């Protein structure tokens, strides 16, 4: 989950920073964050492009992670995903079609009842976790390698 939190800091969305990490056989195979199509304007620079209250410029973190797998030929069948926020309905459907078998998330975010129904139907394990803020202060980012 810490990897998903770190990658969420690359988000170019003004409204919510989301990160996702796809793991297969205990190995990270892809990561994604929410942001614009490569080469397009970013919400941080131009503001959100809102239609019916939703930013249509942004690709969700889960989709970016799965698309990275497709682009580089990494199979997602049987993989799991760590995502900072509960997936929206569209991302849930995409994750199911991609063969994701477990979703671990940090925060609830407009959890859709139909998304939960589909996850139950497909027997996808869903687990909400917490991250102790003290854990972040214990990471040795500021120490020289010799002191670690």
């Amino acid at each position: 989950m810490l990897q998903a939190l770190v990658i969420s800091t690359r988000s170019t969305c003004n409204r919510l920073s989301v990160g996702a990490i796809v793991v297969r056989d205990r190995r990270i195979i892809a990561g994604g964050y929410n942001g614009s199509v490569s080469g397009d304007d970013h919400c941080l620079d131009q503001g959100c492009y809102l239609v019916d209250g939703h930013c249509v410029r942004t690709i969700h973190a889960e989709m970016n992670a799965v698309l990275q797998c497709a682009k580089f030929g990494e199979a997602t069948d049987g993989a799991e995903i760590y995502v900072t926020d509960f997936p929206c309905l569209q991302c849930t459907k995409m994750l199911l079609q991609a063969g994701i078998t477990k979703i671990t998330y940090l925060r609830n975010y407009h959890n859709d009842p139909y998304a939960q129904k589909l996850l139950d139907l497909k027997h996808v394990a869903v687990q909400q976790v917490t991250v102790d803020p003290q854990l972040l202060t214990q990471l040795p980012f500021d120490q020289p390698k010799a002191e670690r």
Side-chain angles (χ1 to χ4, degrees):
M1 185 55 70
L2 291 177
Q3 292 283 353
L5 282 167
V6 169
I7 203 166
S8 75
T9 66
R10 295 193 43 84
S11 170
T12 60
C13 178
N14 293 324
R15 300 171 77 195
L16 184 67
S17 295
V18 180
I21 300 293
V22 180
V23 175
R24 191 182 63 244
D25 299 325
R26 300 177 55 125
R27 182 176 64 89
I28 294 172
I29 59 173
Y33 52 90
N34 57 328
S36 302
V37 171
S38 186
D40 191 15
D41 293 329
H42 293 285
C43 298
L44 289 175
D45 301 327
Q46 301 296 322
C48 291
Y49 180 12
L50 297 177
V51 175
D52 296 327
H54 298 281
C55 182
V56 297
R57 180 179 285 136
T58 299
I59 300 173
H60 290 186
E62 304 94 320
M63 188 173 292
N64 268 326
V66 170
L67 288 171
Q68 187 179 65
C69 290
K71 185 175 183 178
F72 296 110
E74 287 287 346
T76 55
D77 196 34
E80 57 189 272
I81 192 165
Y82 293 81
V83 61
T84 56
D85 297 84
F86 190 87
C88 71
L89 177 58
Q90 296 304 318
C91 284
T92 297
K93 292 188 287 186
M94 181 264 313
L95 293 171
L96 292 173
Q97 289 299 92
I100 299 296
T101 58
K102 183 177 181 183
I103 298 170
T104 302
Y105 72 100
L106 185 62
R107 300 178 295 229
N108 288 308
Y109 184 73
H110 302 300
N111 299 26
D112 188 283
Y114 185 58
Q116 188 60 57
K117 178 182 176 184
L118 290 172
L119 293 166
D120 293 342
L121 176 72
K122 299 294 285 184
H123 306 290
V124 171
V126 178
Q127 178 183 14
Q128 184 177 19
V129 296
T130 59
V131 173
D132 182 355
Q134 290 298 321
L135 177 64
L136 300 175
T137 64
Q138 296 172 11
L139 296 175
F141 291 127
D142 58 349
Q143 296 176 6
K145 288 184 181 180
E147 293 178 25
R148 291 184 194 167

